[in-house]
Amino acid sequence: MADPEISVIIPHFAQVAALDACLASLEAQSLPAERFEIVVVDNNSPGGLDPVRAVVRERARLLVETAKGAGPARNRGVAEARGRVFAFIDADCVASPCWLEEGLRGLERFDIVGGRVDVSVADENHMSGAEAFERVFAFDFRSYIENKGFTGSGNLFCRRAVFETVGGFRPAVSEDMDWSHRATALGYSLGYHEPAAIAHPGRTDWSELTRKWSRLNRESLRLSEGKRYGRLKWLARNWLVPLSIAPHAARVMTSRKLPDTRTRLRALATLAGIRMWRFADAHRALFERNTR
């Protein structure tokens, strides 16, 4: 059997219901099934492999990576992949029907492609503050790519040759930012292709938001180390975080992604709260690094 054109690589950890939906969306792709393979890499889920096998069935190859983290899981998938193009998606995401087809179209223009990520919620008319906040601000891949020079690894396309030259995802840092910056430093072009779209569930409550930002603060701090004035620049950026509340409040109140004023007010309260929490947590993270 000829090797597939695309290898879709999915890191997985204890999300079997979401993985089932992700695989179903890949089965419904406009691209013929013989042109791609799916590789699921379980990251040592605590429930064991049997529930994962029951969901994966014959739809994908199932591998195991015991080293903790989505980065090592993606790297394991790459090591076993057969395609000349890699398409990365997370287990809790749902691909639009033309995701793969559009990803290939994006690669006609760029070496590395990221697409649109829509935030999905359980009930459009009854969002929590966290969901409303995420609907406005989370997964803004256009901004990531065009303003910050990286694409998230949950919706990323590149050719095998590019990935092999750049090298794998590094653990314990903001892996997508680190990988994208290494790639562009080598001269590879990075571009946004909106039609290569997926949906990612929004975080539903305060604890999920703080866990996310606690992780991101520490990953970005580690990524800053080793650079000239890296920690100082990192801290300066975090001092600007509270100042972003006012201009972003206007974005919340005018957003068409939210159904009504009550939902906008919930998002506004979450915006103010999480930005101040991030500011305080950045100092906790820096203290932790300095006392090790």
Side-chain angles (χ1 to χ4, degrees), residues 65-79:
E65 176 54 61
T66 58
K68 185 178 179 181
R74 290 188 181 96
N75 292 341
R76 176 65 192 281
V78 165

Side-chain angles (χ1 to χ4, degrees), residues 30-47:
S30 59
L31 200 71
E34 61 269 18
R35 292 182 62 184
F36 66 94
E37 66 169 350
I38 304 170
V39 182
V40 174
V41 186
D42 187 77
N43 203 200
N44 210 26
S45 293

Side-chain angles (χ1 to χ4, degrees), residues 271-289:
L271 165 68
I274 199 63
R275 295 288 166 85
M276 295 307 299
W277 187 93
R278 284 173 54 189
F279 175 73
D281 184 67
H283 292 78
R284 286 193 292 269
L286 191 60
F287 177 77
E288 290 167 5
R289 296 293 286 178

Side-chain angles (χ1 to χ4, degrees), residues 253-271:
M253 297 309 292
T254 58
S255 176
R256 295 183 180 181
K257 297 179 180 180
L258 304 178
D260 51 41
T261 300
R262 181 176 297 180
T263 306
R264 291 186 178 92
L265 290 175
R266 290 194 195 105
L268 191 61
T270 304
L271 165 68

Side-chain angles (χ1 to χ4, degrees), residues 24 66-67 84 88 101 137 145 205 215 237 252 282:
T66 58
R84 65 175 181 83
F88 296 95
E101 189 175 356
F137 293 105
I145 291 167
D205 58 32
R215 172 179 57 82
R237 286 194 297 271
V252 168

Side-chain angles (χ1 to χ4, degrees), residues 140-176:
D140 187 354
F141 274 40
R142 180 189 291 275
S143 177
Y144 298 166
I145 291 167
E146 296 180 354
N147 300 323
K148 299 179 181 179
F150 78 96
T151 185
S153 48
N155 187 1
L156 187 159
F157 290 83
C158 70
R159 296 176 182 83
R160 172 187 290 274
V162 171
F163 192 93
E164 290 177 345
T165 301
V166 176
F169 295 103
R170 293 198 300 153
V173 297
S174 297
E175 62 180 45
D176 40 17

Side-chain angles (χ1 to χ4, degrees), residues 130-237:
E131 287 175 321
F133 170 80
E134 290 256 299
R135 173 60 67 86
V136 177
F137 293 105
F139 310 115
D140 187 354
F141 274 40
R142 180 189 291 275
S143 177
Y144 298 166
I145 291 167
E146 296 180 354
N147 300 323
K148 299 179 181 179
F150 78 96
T151 185
S153 48
N155 187 1
L156 187 159
F157 290 83
C158 70
R159 296 176 182 83
R160 172 187 290 274
V162 171
F163 192 93
E164 290 177 345
T165 301
V166 176
F169 295 103
R170 293 198 300 153
V173 297
S174 297
E175 62 180 45
D176 40 17
M177 185 180 295
D178 171 67
W179 191 89
S180 295
H181 288 172
R182 284 190 281 132
T184 54
L186 291 171
Y188 290 118
S189 60
L190 168 66
Y192 178 70
H193 187 66
E194 184 165 343
I198 65 171
H200 190 297
R203 290 163 182 84
T204 60
D205 58 32
W206 180 256
S207 65
E208 289 184 357
L209 284 180
T210 55
R211 282 198 298 272
K212 167 189 172 180
W213 283 106
S214 176
R215 172 179 57 82
L216 291 178
N217 275 343
R218 283 149 184 81
E219 288 177 351
S220 63
L221 175 57
R222 286 191 289 269
L223 191 58
S224 74
E225 293 171 345
K227 299 178 181 178
R228 184 176 175 84
Y229 305 121
R231 280 195 177 193
L232 183 61
K233 291 177 180 178
W234 179 87
L235 186 60
R237 286 194 297 271

